[in-house]
Amino acid sequence: MTPRTDQASATPAIRDDGSNPWAAAAMLAMESYQVICLRLTKLASADLAACDEAQLMVNEKIDATLEALASLQAGASAATIVDRYRQHVAANARRLQTA
């Protein structure tokens, strides 16, 4: 058995270049974690804004699920659906970071 010497065979870091659907899913998990932390911080205040955030969160999850189901019925790939979820998560991160 000979040792590998080429750089192409080395395990790459997680990249989001569209070539690996698992990388997009891993990125979604990490980005979602950030939003969860931001939301928990907001919900911990237990004020009117926290109540509004909880309501918004539930409505957004229902809307995103219905959107994903419609996309699946229309023939969208899993990668397309994950990318769309990532767009929702990014929008939430921007909104929560500025609040």
Side-chain angles (χ1 to χ4, degrees), residues 12-27 79 82-83 86:
I14 293 177
R15 291 178 294 157
D16 182 25
D17 60 2
S19 65
N20 185 349
W22 292 105
M27 292 299 294
V82 168
D83 288 342
R86 289 186 66 204

Side-chain angles (χ1 to χ4, degrees):
M1 186 190 250
T2 60
R4 293 182 182 187
T5 57
D6 60 322
Q7 293 295 327
S9 64
T11 303
I14 293 177
R15 291 178 294 157
D16 182 25
D17 60 2
S19 65
N20 185 349
W22 292 105
M27 292 299 294
L28 174 62
M30 288 185 279
E31 293 159 353
S32 296
Y33 176 76
Q34 177 190 19
V35 170
I36 290 167
C37 290
L38 291 167
R39 274 199 167 132
L40 285 175
T41 301
K42 187 163 194 162
L43 293 173
S45 67
D47 59 5
L48 185 58
C51 184
D52 292 342
E53 182 62 32
Q55 214 167 21
L56 179 62
M57 176 182 65
V58 171
N59 290 336
E60 286 177 341
K61 291 191 181 303
I62 292 169
D63 292 344
T65 300
L66 293 174
E67 181 183 340
L69 289 172
S71 296
L72 276 173
Q73 288 179 336
S77 67
T80 300
I81 293 169
V82 168
D83 288 342
R84 184 66 181 132
Y85 265 101
R86 289 186 66 204
Q87 291 172 3
H88 288 298
V89 170
N92 282 326
R94 284 190 300 273
R95 180 179 54 78
L96 289 165
Q97 285 173 343
T98 60

